[in-house]
Amino acid sequence: MLSELQVMFTRRRTWAMLAAIALIPILLALAVYLSADRLAPGEGPPFVDRVTQNGLFAGFAAMLLAMPLFLPLTVSVVAGDTIAGEAGLGTLRYLLIAPVGRIRLLIVKYLGTLAFVSVGTLTLMIAGALVGALLFPVGPVTLLSGDVIGLGESLGRMALVALYTTISMMGMLALGLFISTLTTIPVGAMTGVLIASGVSQILDNLPQVAIIHEFLFTHYWLDFADLLRNPIELSSMGSNLILQVGYVVLFGVLAYSRFSTKDILS
C-alpha cells in the first residue's frame, strides 16, 4: 500500500490535478472579488452570495460547483488508470509475478484512488479557506439554519464536507476500477467512467424515472449542505454511505470476477 501511495504522489500528473483542483476556489474567489456587481442574498449559485460576507464560504461554493463535472473528471482519470494503465505500460504482469494476489492488487489500487480523492477534497477546501481569508472578511459563520458558529467549528464543518465528498466518490471509483479491468487502454476506461457519471446525473434530474433516483450513485452528491445546519443533519451522509458501499461491493465483485479470470499478457 505504501508503495502504491508513493507511486501515485510522486507522479507529476497527480500534482497537476491537485493544482487544478486548488484553482477552482481560487478562480471563484477572484471572480467574486473582481465583480462590480455584488450578489444579493439568494442570487446566483448556492453559497456564492455568502462569499463576500465570509471568505470561508469560498470552499463550500467551489465544492458545489466542482461536484457535477470537475471532480468526476479527475476521479475518472485516476480510477480508469488503475489496472488499464499498468496493462498499457506493460507492468501489470510484473506486479503479479511478485507474491501479490489479484484481489490484494485490486484492493490496493482502489485504496490508492480513494487516498487521492481524500487529498483532493481537502486541497479544495483548504485552498478555498486560504484565498477566502485573503480576499474577504473571515469570522463566525452563519449556517443555513441561521445559527452562528465560531471559526474552529467552521473548520470542522469544512473537514466534514471534504469527508462527505470523498464518500460520494467511492461508488464511482469502484466503477472505474471495474471498467479498468476490461481494457488495456486507460483513456477508454476514463471515458467510460465519465460518461457513466454524466448519465447518472441526467437521470437523477428526470422526474419520469424518479423511482430509480435513490439508487443512482450521484443522487446524494450535493446534499452536503445538511452538514451546514445546526444540529448537523447526518441522515443524508448515512444514506450516501450505504449507497456508495453497495456500489463498492457490486463493482468490486465484478472487477474481481473479471480480473481473476483475465489472461495477463502485458
Side-chain angles (χ1 to χ4, degrees), residues 7-261:
V7 169
M8 175 169 290
F9 288 101
T10 53
R11 288 177 176 173
R12 292 182 180 178
R13 182 188 67 185
T14 299
W15 289 102
M17 288 191 293
L18 290 176
I21 289 173
L23 277 176
I24 299 173
I26 293 174
L27 294 177
L28 171 66
L30 285 173
V32 173
Y33 181 76
L34 297 174
S35 175
D37 299 323
R38 301 293 182 179
L39 293 175
E43 291 186 354
F47 301 134
V48 174
D49 60 308
R50 295 172 176 254
V51 172
T52 56
Q53 305 167 31
N54 195 321
L56 294 180
F57 274 97
F60 298 128
M63 185 69 79
L64 196 66
L65 294 175
M67 281 295 288
L69 177 61
F70 196 80
L71 277 180
L73 177 61
T74 56
V75 167
S76 67
V77 171
V78 175
D81 191 56
T82 47
I83 302 298
E86 298 285 359
L89 291 173
T91 57
L92 184 57
R93 60 180 176 180
Y94 296 109
L95 288 176
L96 296 175
I97 288 175
V100 177
R102 297 193 180 195
I103 188 170
R104 181 183 174 186
L105 180 62
L106 289 174
I107 292 173
V108 168
K109 287 292 185 181
Y110 179 79
L111 292 178
T113 60
L114 191 61
F116 169 81
V117 173
S118 300
V119 173
T121 55
L122 283 173
T123 298
L124 188 149
M125 297 304 292
I126 292 172
L130 291 177
V131 71
L134 181 64
L135 299 178
F136 304 104
V138 171
V141 172
T142 302
L143 299 175
L144 300 181
S145 58
D147 300 278
V148 178
I149 60 175
L151 181 60
E153 187 176 349
S154 302
L155 296 177
R157 299 292 180 110
M158 295 178 71
L160 279 176
V161 170
L163 174 61
Y164 186 96
T165 306
T166 300
I167 291 173
S168 297
M169 295 291 116
M170 288 171 58
M172 189 175 176
L173 289 172
L175 171 62
L177 181 68
F178 168 59
I179 296 178
S180 191
T181 64
L182 302 177
T183 180
T184 59
I185 304 175
V187 174
M190 298 169 192
T191 303
V193 179
L194 192 59
I195 290 175
S197 170
V199 170
S200 180
Q201 292 183 71
I202 291 172
L203 291 176
D204 198 32
N205 284 283
L206 294 179
Q208 294 85 350
V209 291
I211 192 172
I212 68 170
H213 284 178
E214 293 185 358
F215 302 101
L216 298 171
F217 65 86
T218 60
H219 181 65
Y220 295 101
W221 275 10
L222 302 180
D223 286 356
F224 64 80
D226 288 343
L227 301 176
L228 302 179
R229 307 181 190 278
N230 200 21
I232 296 177
E233 178 58 59
L234 294 176
S235 59
S236 293
M237 179 178 279
S239 299
N240 190 22
L241 179 60
I242 292 172
L243 177 67
Q244 300 302 329
V245 168
Y247 273 97
V248 170
V249 172
L250 172 63
F251 288 113
V253 170
L254 290 175
Y256 177 68
S257 176
R258 166 60 178 163
F259 195 52
S260 63
T261 58

